[in-house]
């Protein structure tokens, strides 16, 4: 049996026909849904309300006999799925409706292939609606009589224009605008929405002065030091580029990014324009003040201005990991990515450490990872924030925060990654190469300290030296993992 839906997004029409089919007990494999004007297919009068959700459902005796309710979420799913371009979507929706009525277990099977397919279609429609909201670019057009209208050309993947139009009417309520698409056009005159048939690409208005301004703006906010093409393509899929004026800049800006970034590295430092004022100035707590919780420690370290670097960083980065671990690994200070994410060892040095631990079969989650200095110290070169090694002043100012962290976390042993950590943990200058690879027992709290290289020291090595240094570093870490032998009684 062929059933025709003249308007492909007419949910009411679909429901009426589906109700009749259900009432007549026509199974989905005997129905073929088609759409648009054409030959064949039956037109239905809407009979009793055989398919409804909510209190309006099954109001007549006949309806109650044949039409159990469907979950309200199914109706929401239909609203989205019907906008999908796939010609099979109506067959799928009727099949799901039939199955919901005849297979009660379907409601409890989230992995059912039909349900998953419908959800995928609904998500694709939702994504397309979101992209239309983000990527419609209006151009100002002067009309006869001097009035201005804002006109945009957009090519959606699905039939979303009607469903998305109210959003644009709310957002641009004061403007007269039109959005032209190949499938449907919509116009807003300040009072009401008007829909018209689709337009040809040649109706796309030519660029206006606003476009040049937008491109200049885009060029200026483009940061070559943060070029992430894969992420950009995920957020701004290539299929939308042809209608985005700024897309023409992506290739030249990306091609020049590395050279511009290098110039920034080589340029003299620029003075930061913005200094973050803490809500409340905390001084470093006096020695002997008992720490209360890691959350409080994080908040206090965030507001610390005992040295100048806290005012420029995004946030303090305290450690993470389990309490009472066998090991606490201590690095120097957060880098650019740690500063932005608020987590230690997530940037290149962290990735190298992850690789080493993975090779040793030492789960990262089993250790507590911290830093001697809690704020990112950097020098600004254009838009690049270049890491600067923390000086003694910063390390000293931060030492009480690390001491508090150790008190709260209670690790059995400490592993210093690099000289800054070793100096903070041992309270004296440490020559890493001379003192690496053995347990040092000098701390007043009795915790043994193992000293080894910081992962960024390996990243800085010339290629030929790296394999051997890597092997030695792995051996250091492996022995640190074994732990310190218990002290013998004197
Ligand atoms: N280097 C460190 O010492 N710590 C981090 O968290 C990242 C890089």
């Amino acid at each position: 049996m062929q059933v025709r839906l003249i308007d492909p997004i007419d949910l009411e029409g679909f429901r009426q026909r589906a109700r009749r089919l259900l009432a007549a007990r026509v199974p989905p494999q005997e129905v073929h849904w088609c759409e648009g004007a054409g030959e064949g297919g039956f037109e239905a009068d809407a009979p009793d309300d055989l398919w409804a959700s909510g209190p309006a459902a099954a109001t007549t005796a006949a309806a109650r006999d044949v039409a159990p309710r469907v979950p309200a979420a199914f109706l929401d799913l239909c609203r989205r799925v019907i906008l999908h371009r796939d010609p099979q979507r109506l067959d799928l929706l009727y099949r799901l409706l039939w199955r919901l009525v005849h297979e009660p277990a379907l409601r409890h099977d989230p992995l059912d292939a039909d349900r998953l397919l419908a959800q995928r279609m609904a998500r694709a429609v939702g994504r397309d609606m979101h992209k239309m909201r983000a990527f419609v670019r209006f151009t100002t057009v002067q009309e006869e009589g001097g009035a201005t209208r804002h006109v945009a050309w957009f090519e959606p993947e699905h039939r979303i224009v009607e469903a998305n139009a109210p959003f644009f009417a709310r957002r641009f309520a004061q403007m007269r605008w039109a959005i032209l698409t190949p499938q449907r056009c919509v116009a807003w005159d300040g009072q009401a929405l008007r829909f018209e048939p689709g337009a040809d690409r040649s109706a796309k208005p030519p660029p206006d002065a606003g476009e040049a301004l937008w491109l200049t703006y885009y060029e200026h906010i483009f940061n070559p030091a943060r070029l992430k093409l894969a992420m950009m393509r995920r957020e701004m899929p290539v299929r939308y580029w042809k209608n985005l004026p700024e897309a023409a800049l992506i290739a030249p800006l990306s091609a020049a990014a590395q050279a511009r970034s290098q110039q920034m590295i080589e340029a003299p430092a620029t003075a930061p324009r913005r200094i973050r004022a803490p809500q409340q100035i905390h001084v470093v707590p006096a020695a002997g003040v008992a720490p209360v919780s890691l959350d409080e420690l994080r908040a206090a370290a965030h507001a610390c201005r005992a040295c100048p670097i806290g005012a420029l960083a995004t946030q303090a980065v305290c450690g993470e990991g389990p309490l009472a671990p066998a090991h606490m690994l201590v690095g120097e200070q957060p880098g650019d990515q740690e500063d932005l994410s608020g987590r230690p060892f997530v940037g290149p040095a962290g990735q190298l450490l992850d690789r080493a631990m993975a090779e040793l079969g030492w789960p990262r989650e089993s250790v507590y990872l911290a830093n001697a200095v809690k704020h990112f110290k950097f020098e600004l070169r254009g838009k690049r924030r270049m890491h600067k090694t923390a000086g003694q002043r910063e390390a000293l100012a931060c030492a009480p925060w690390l001491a508090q962290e150790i008190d709260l976390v209670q690790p059995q042993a400490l592993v210093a990654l690099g000289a800054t950590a070793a100096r903070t943990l041992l309270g004296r200058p440490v020559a890493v190469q001379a003192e690496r690879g053995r347990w040092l027992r000098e701390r007043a709290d009795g915790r043994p300290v193992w000293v080894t290289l910081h992962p960024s020291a390996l990243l800085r090595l010339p290629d030929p030296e790296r394999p051997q240094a890597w092997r030695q570093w792995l051996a250091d870490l492996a022995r640190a993992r074994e732990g310190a032998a218990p002290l013998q009684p004197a």
Side-chain angles (χ1 to χ4, degrees), residues 276 301-302 304-305 307-315 375-376:
R276 249 170 252 273
H302 176 66
C304 177
R305 297 295 180 265
C307 78
I309 61 174
L312 297 172
T314 309
Q315 57 194 313
H375 283 119
F376 175 36

Side-chain angles (χ1 to χ4, degrees), residues 317 330-336 338-339 343-350 364 369-373 387 417 454-456:
V317 180
V330 183
E332 181 207 338
Q333 57 159 326
D336 182 65
E338 288 81 8
D339 169 82
R343 296 185 52 214
F345 287 102
V346 292
R364 176 175 165 133
L369 282 171
N371 280 303
V373 173
H387 168 274
L417 302 172
H454 189 280
S456 11

